[in-house]
Amino acid sequence: MAKRNVPVIQRTLFSWVFTPGNLKLQILLIIIILVAVVARVVPLEMQKRIVNEAITMGQMELLIKYCGIYIASVILASGLKFAINTIQTLIGQRTLATMRRDLYRHILTLPLHFFRKSQPGMVVSSLVTELASAGDFVGMALAVPAASLLTLAAFAAYLLWLNPLLAAVSLALYPMVMLILPRLQRRVNRANKQRVDITRTLSSKIGESITGIQEIHGNGSFAAENRKFDGIVETLLKTRIVWNLYKFGVKVTNNFFNNLGPFFIFLLGGYLVIQGRLELGALVAFLSAQEKLYDPWKELIGFYQAYQDATVSYRRTMEYFDEMPNHPMVPEDRAPYELTGEIRVKDVTFLVDGDIRLLENISLNLEAGEHMALVGFSGSGKSTLVHCIGQLFDHTTGSVEIGGKEVSTFTKADVARNIGIVSQSPFIFDGTIEENLLYAYLSAREGDGTEPASLDDEIEAIQQAGLFVDVLQFGLNAVLEKEQHAGLVEQILRIRENFRQTLADSLSDDVEFFNPNAYLQYSSVAENITMGAPNRDDFAHEHLCGNRYFRRFLDKADLTRPLLSLGADIARQVVDILGNLEPDPSLFERSPIQPEELPDYKELTDRLKRQKLHQLSPVDQEMLLRAALRFAPGIHPIVSMPPLLENLILEGRALFMDRITEDDPDAVTFYEMRHYIHSQTLLNNILFGKLKTDRPQTIEKINQAIIQLLVEEDLMETVVRIGLQYQVGNKGENLSGGQRQKLAISRVFLKKPPVLLMDEATSGLDNSSQARIQHLLDSRWKGTTTLISVVHRLDIIKNYDKIAVMKAGKIVEMGAYDDLMGRKGVLYELVGNT
């Protein structure tokens, strides 16, 4: 049994079989197998007795008795077989889950240089695919050979008891099989190793292509990438064919020898029965037992192949990750360090493969709370130095001390507790803003019993990084679940009322507020008819054309024909004006017909020249109706709305509200001041209308008014809390570049480490945001946190305590800004050049 402290990469495949969690189940398996073997032999004896005693002697009672024992044994054997498979599956899947967990934990601790040489696709393939066969094998490692060997022994013993001569002939074939099959299996193993290696190469190639997809698109290198991929696929194709052919060869050979058995039994056994030296019932039982010998033998062969496949995959996987972490994760006999922020770097040199020096004899000193800017030419080693101080890279010679402790002796828990790092291109994890915000804070305080960060702490961090307004907007643009925030709904309705009373007049030219008694020029015909928000997908405005209830309503309200006529006018105008232009989406912004739909509407307008509206097919009528229902006069000036149709729609609105309230009251929530629209965002519920303009000053005026009302209702923190639950998407794809950068800065601000390392952390922000964060660092973080910042913009370094100028891996100048400028050295030249 493997010791608990043995690294996962050094564990053998069989060490997983008797882990503490599996041991009891394995013992239970052996007990069930012993009973199952007896249950499988009993029917053979019953066959013999049914023929020799019950049938031959004409004893009906014996026939019923033996048949009853037979069927009971079959049922018992089947049930036990199911139980064995269930336990096997449980053991295998639990072991596979543990393997994946342990290996994943190990992979996360590996040095960064390992990941620079490994493709993500290969790591994914190893964890997801290659370990699966190892887990399956552990599930069968004890059960299959035990069950098969015991069954073989029981059947062999029974055959010898029936007739030693026939048994000897029948069993003589199996040594021959055992001589031939291992040779074929060795070829299978060689091909399987090649398959695993090529599959990894394929996975790595896929991972590389997905990671570098922007470069592929930017350079149009699709053909080149396809050629690389096709070559790997072709090699894998040939290898898998060879591998499968050898596997089939093993099966065919095994089946051939097993089919020889009945031939000899019929020949010799038939002779013995004819000579009266063997009972007919015994021959029947013998044939049945010999045939059943094939099942455990087949299972043994399958087990042997599964063992070989699992061994290859398992060894290949563990060999690939056979590398140990550079530093322990947590200290063994102490709590993580709580350090002061003084930094001492002395004679640090950093070499990479080929003895290339990226840093050479770097020395610097910073007292706790001092701030240093690292500047210099591109490739001068600024980021490398920051990584060595933060233990992301292990310096080759020299020493780096923080708080009097050598960084190379830190555990990862010490680093997490005392150092905060923000890179130029920070990684944002899939999840919510809050989960990303707390990421570093929780890691630094793992297991120490520290109180969780409060909402006030989170708000302070996002305010400092300039992310507060973005989070507030995410909250305002959130859609509340109907069952949640019941009290909030009432407050939002009050804010809506106050907003309408306060700003209705001043915003009348910019906002069209919902009014049940007026036709809304900036809402679609569908919205004007329903005068509400759909609660179900079949009543969504874009699906109303296919909604039978709504179509019947249009007929009853005498709206179908006028809307078809409107749709025909829209189609003719759009085709006439935009039909011969390139399908640029910007040209169609003021059209209810989309660019991809234009060819279909061109054909439809041709048919309209030959057919009347009532002669059109149902499909054509639905197309015209769709265009009409999308039409909003204030947005789509391509045609004008007939006044008569406006009046008809207003009358139809009242009828629709009455009918739907009676027939299906949950289908639509009407635009009424007393109704909260759960399918709409908080912002839309407050605005309760449609913007007529996208002028920034108007939007800013609305936002400021809403914020003021939120403050008055004491709802600001609630909306921010909702905004913190915004899903950022994979790698933060739902955030802008600036928002991702601000979130990473907020993350480290919330952590409040004694040492802060910023590697061009504000380079992705606009000038005003950079200046504001720099002012914050100067005013609130100086004196409390030691800062080393790689800076690209030289106009923001004046207030740093020290400036280190780097060139070719060395510090060529270091001192205060005014002193260095007075020397008129390298910094002076850099500032002059910028």
Side-chain angles (χ1 to χ4, degrees):
M1 186 183 300
K3 295 181 181 180
R4 289 174 179 246
N5 60 351
V6 175
V8 63
I9 52 173
Q10 296 176 9
R11 292 189 62 169
T12 63
L13 181 58
F14 275 98
S15 71
W16 297 94
V17 176
F18 294 106
T19 54
N22 292 337
L23 185 57
K24 292 181 179 179
L25 290 176
Q26 299 285 23
I27 294 173
L28 178 61
L29 262 181
I30 294 298
I31 296 173
I32 295 175
I33 287 169
L34 289 172
V35 178
V37 169
V38 174
R40 294 183 69 178
V41 174
V42 169
L44 301 177
E45 178 64 17
M46 292 304 102
Q47 289 182 35
K48 186 188 77 171
R49 295 191 181 191
I50 287 170
V51 174
N52 289 344
E53 298 179 20
I55 296 176
T56 304
M57 300 172 60
Q59 295 289 326
M60 192 65 188
E61 292 181 1
L62 288 179
L63 178 64
I64 295 174
K65 175 184 175 181
Y66 292 151
C67 286
I69 296 173
Y70 181 95
I71 192 63
S73 299
V74 169
I75 293 173
L76 177 61
S78 299
L80 293 175
K81 180 65 174 177
F82 180 80
I84 291 169
N85 288 335
T86 300
I87 297 174
Q88 278 184 228
T89 301
L90 182 60
I91 293 173
Q93 293 306 308
R94 286 203 321 192
T95 302
L96 176 59
T98 304
M99 281 183 186
R100 284 173 172 159
R101 282 195 293 263
D102 290 353
L103 184 57
Y104 180 75
R105 289 181 173 87
H106 173 77
I107 291 170
L108 291 185
T109 66
L110 294 180
L112 292 182
H113 68 78
F114 172 86
F115 298 97
R116 288 195 291 271
K117 67 181 182 181
S118 301
Q119 287 293 335
M122 197 290 304
V123 178
V124 172
S125 175
S126 297
L127 280 170
V128 176
T129 305
E130 294 179 20
L131 282 181
S133 59
D136 292 339
F137 171 75
V138 170
M140 66 173 69
L142 184 62
V144 171
S148 300
L149 290 173
L150 286 173
T151 303
L152 278 173
F155 284 174
Y158 183 71
L159 291 177
L160 288 169
W161 179 70
L162 287 175
N163 190 288
L165 179 60
L166 278 178
V169 172
S170 180
L171 296 175
L173 297 172
Y174 290 97
M176 299 174 61
V177 178
M178 295 178 67
L179 181 66
I180 296 173
L181 286 187
R183 297 186 179 184
L184 284 174
Q185 187 63 46
R186 282 195 291 270
R187 295 178 180 269
V188 173
N189 293 344
R190 282 199 299 268
N192 191 28
K193 289 178 181 179
Q194 294 176 354
R195 179 193 64 85
V196 171
D197 291 340
I198 298 170
T199 301
R200 283 183 176 174
T201 303
L202 183 67
S203 299
S204 296
K205 180 59 195 165
I206 295 171
E208 180 185 59
S209 298
I210 299 303
T211 304
I213 194 66
Q214 184 170 327
E215 291 298 317
I216 294 173
H217 277 257
N219 293 283
S221 54
F222 308 104
E225 293 301 321
N226 287 336
R227 283 194 295 272
K228 295 177 188 177
F229 187 79
D230 291 349
I232 301 172
V233 170
E234 186 66 24
T235 304
L236 181 60
L237 169 65
K238 295 176 181 177
T239 303
R240 287 188 67 89
I241 289 174
V242 172
W243 177 54
N244 279 290
L245 287 177
Y246 279 129
K247 287 178 67 176
F248 294 149
V250 171
K251 291 182 179 180
V252 169
T253 302
N254 185 48
N255 290 338
F256 172 73
F257 280 102
N258 277 286
N259 289 329
L260 280 180
F263 166 75
F264 290 114
I265 299 303
F266 277 121
L267 187 63
L268 181 58
Y271 170 76
L272 293 175
V273 170
I274 293 172
Q275 294 294 318
R277 295 166 56 186
L278 183 68
E279 295 173 335
L280 180 61
L283 178 61
V284 171
F286 200 101
L287 283 168
S288 182
Q290 199 280 334
E291 182 181 355
K292 290 183 180 298
L293 271 177
Y294 176 70
D295 292 335
W297 180 253
K298 179 182 177 182
E299 290 180 358
L300 276 178
I301 296 299
F303 171 78
Y304 180 69
Q305 287 189 317
Y307 166 66
Q308 296 295 333
D309 292 346
T311 301
V312 170
S313 297
Y314 183 81
R315 285 178 180 171
R316 277 287 195 266
T317 298
M318 296 307 173
E319 286 170 1
Y320 189 86
F321 297 109
D322 190 6
E323 189 167 348
M324 297 305 295
N326 289 354
H327 305 276
M329 296 301 104
V330 294
E332 293 184 0
D333 53 357
R334 60 174 175 82
Y337 291 135
E338 298 280 356
L339 301 175
T340 54
E342 63 267 17
I343 298 176
R344 304 283 184 264
V345 178
K346 184 177 180 181
D347 299 329
V348 164
T349 298
F350 179 64
L351 286 74
V352 294
D353 295 342
D355 289 336
I356 299 173
R357 292 174 180 262
L358 298 184
L359 297 177
E360 184 172 359
N361 295 326
I362 297 289
S363 296
L364 60 88
N365 294 320
L366 284 176
E367 300 303 322
E370 283 192 317
H371 288 192
M372 170 181 278
L374 291 179
V375 301
F377 301 96
S378 178
S380 59
K382 304 184 295 296
S383 297
T384 303
L385 177 57
V386 166
H387 289 163
C388 286
I389 295 173
Q391 207 200 60
L392 294 176
F393 295 164
D394 290 326
H395 53 276
T396 308
T397 61
S399 68
V400 177
E401 293 184 357
I402 295 178
K405 304 289 185 181
E406 171 59 42
V407 169
S408 62
T409 66
F410 284 8
T411 66
K412 289 301 181 182
D414 297 322
V415 173
R417 184 65 62 90
N418 295 282
I419 301 175
I421 301 177
V422 187
S423 67
Q424 182 178 3
S425 302
F427 192 90
I428 304 300
F429 293 89
D430 191 11
T432 66
I433 287 180
E434 186 172 40
E435 288 170 342
N436 276 278
L437 181 62
L438 292 171
Y439 190 81
Y441 177 90
L442 295 177
S443 298
R445 290 157 178 78
E446 183 77 36
D448 67 354
T450 303
E451 289 293 322
S454 66
L455 180 62
D456 289 340
D457 293 332
E458 296 179 35
I459 289 176
E460 181 184 21
I462 60 177
Q463 282 179 329
Q464 289 180 354
L467 192 64
F468 179 81
V469 174
D470 299 278
V471 173
L472 182 62
Q473 287 298 323
F474 292 143
L476 287 172
N477 286 306
V479 177
L480 298 183
E481 295 292 336
K482 200 166 186 177
E483 297 78 15
Q484 296 177 334
H485 307 289
L488 179 59
V489 166
E490 295 300 322
Q491 291 176 288
I492 294 298
L493 291 177
R494 284 200 299 271
I495 291 177
R496 176 197 292 174
E497 183 67 34
N498 293 335
F499 182 82
R500 180 74 65 92
Q501 291 177 358
T502 305
L503 296 174
D505 293 336
S506 62
L507 290 176
S508 60
D509 293 334
D510 301 308
V511 179
E512 182 178 58
F513 294 104
F514 292 142
N515 183 349
N517 300 315
Y519 190 90
L520 305 176
Q521 300 295 317
Y522 286 81
S523 294
S524 69
V525 169
E527 290 175 290
N528 269 285
I529 294 174
T530 59
M531 197 54 191
N535 296 324
R536 295 202 310 265
D537 192 55
D538 57 330
F539 275 90
H541 297 134
E542 63 271 20
H543 297 157
L544 287 177
C545 283
N547 185 310
R548 292 183 179 180
Y549 179 91
F550 186 76
R551 291 291 295 272
R552 288 196 299 268
F553 164 77
L554 293 181
D555 292 338
K556 292 177 182 178
D558 294 325
L559 281 172
T560 300
R561 187 165 185 83
L563 289 178
L564 288 175
S565 180
L566 175 63
D569 290 341
I570 292 171
R572 292 188 189 99
Q573 289 293 336
V574 171
V575 169
D576 185 51
I577 296 172
L578 301 176
N580 296 320
L581 300 178
E582 289 293 324
D584 185 349
S586 62
L587 297 175
F588 285 80
E589 289 177 356
R590 300 177 72 80
S591 161
I593 293 175
Q594 301 303 309
E596 64 274 10
E597 298 173 327
L598 189 58
D600 293 333
Y601 278 95
K602 281 184 178 180
E603 296 177 4
L604 177 55
T605 54
D606 288 338
R607 288 192 290 275
L608 282 170
K609 295 175 183 178
R610 305 186 300 271
Q611 295 175 294
K612 301 297 183 182
L613 289 176
H614 70 277
Q615 296 174 324
L616 294 175
S617 69
V619 173
D620 286 346
Q621 290 186 4
E622 185 171 322
M623 286 178 62
L624 294 180
L625 199 58
R626 184 179 298 113
L629 291 174
R630 290 176 183 170
F631 177 65
I635 301 172
H636 308 133
I638 202 158
V639 297
S640 59
M641 169 67 81
L644 178 60
L645 181 55
E646 279 191 15
N647 293 329
L648 286 174
I649 289 174
L650 289 175
E651 292 176 5
R653 175 192 297 174
L655 179 60
F656 178 80
M657 295 174 75
D658 290 341
R659 290 287 179 86
I660 200 70
T661 300
E662 181 180 342
D663 298 338
D664 196 351
D666 295 327
V668 176
T669 300
F670 298 118
Y671 292 144
E672 296 179 6
M673 289 294 289
R674 59 189 176 89
H675 286 168
Y676 185 89
I677 313 298
H678 284 279
S679 61
Q680 299 290 313
T681 65
L682 285 173
L683 181 61
N684 287 342
N685 268 283
I686 294 172
L687 184 63
F688 210 57
K690 293 290 184 71
L691 286 174
K692 300 179 183 180
T693 177
D694 57 0
R695 288 183 301 180
Q697 54 267 39
T698 300
I699 295 174
E700 180 63 21
K701 180 180 179 181
I702 293 172
N703 287 339
Q704 290 302 319
I706 290 175
I707 289 173
Q708 181 61 37
L709 291 170
L710 289 174
V711 172
E712 292 174 2
E713 282 284 338
D714 196 24
L715 276 183
M716 182 70 79
E717 286 191 357
T718 302
V719 176
V720 170
R721 190 188 297 275
I722 294 171
L724 287 170
Q725 303 312 308
Y726 177 74
Q727 292 287 334
V728 300
N730 184 35
K731 299 181 182 178
E733 63 183 357
N734 296 334
L735 302 177
S736 68
Q739 288 170 337
R740 289 195 292 270
Q741 200 78 46
K742 291 175 183 177
L743 180 52
I745 296 171
S746 301
R747 187 160 61 192
V748 78
F749 281 176
L750 180 64
K751 180 179 176 179
K752 297 178 181 177
V755 173
L756 178 55
L757 307 175
M758 302 182 75
D759 185 6
E760 296 195 41
T762 61
S763 61
L765 304 179
D766 59 80
N767 290 341
S768 62
S769 295
Q770 286 192 54
R772 188 175 51 74
I773 290 177
Q774 188 59 52
H775 175 72
L776 178 73
L777 292 172
D778 294 339
S779 60
R780 297 192 59 176
W781 289 76
K782 188 174 288 188
T784 60
T785 295
T786 307
L787 169 67
I788 297 180
S789 179
V790 177
V791 180
H792 179 70
R793 285 183 53 192
L794 300 182
D795 59 327
I796 62 173
I797 65 174
K798 295 179 181 180
N799 293 327
Y800 280 86
D801 299 303
K802 294 180 180 179
I803 299 167
V805 185
M806 296 191 67
K807 183 177 182 180
K810 299 179 181 180
I811 293 179
V812 293
E813 282 186 345
M814 184 162 57
Y817 180 82
D818 291 338
D819 291 341
L820 294 181
M821 292 299 289
R823 296 178 196 174
K824 295 188 176 180
V826 181
L827 179 63
Y828 181 84
E829 292 180 6
L830 286 172
V831 173
N833 290 334
T834 57

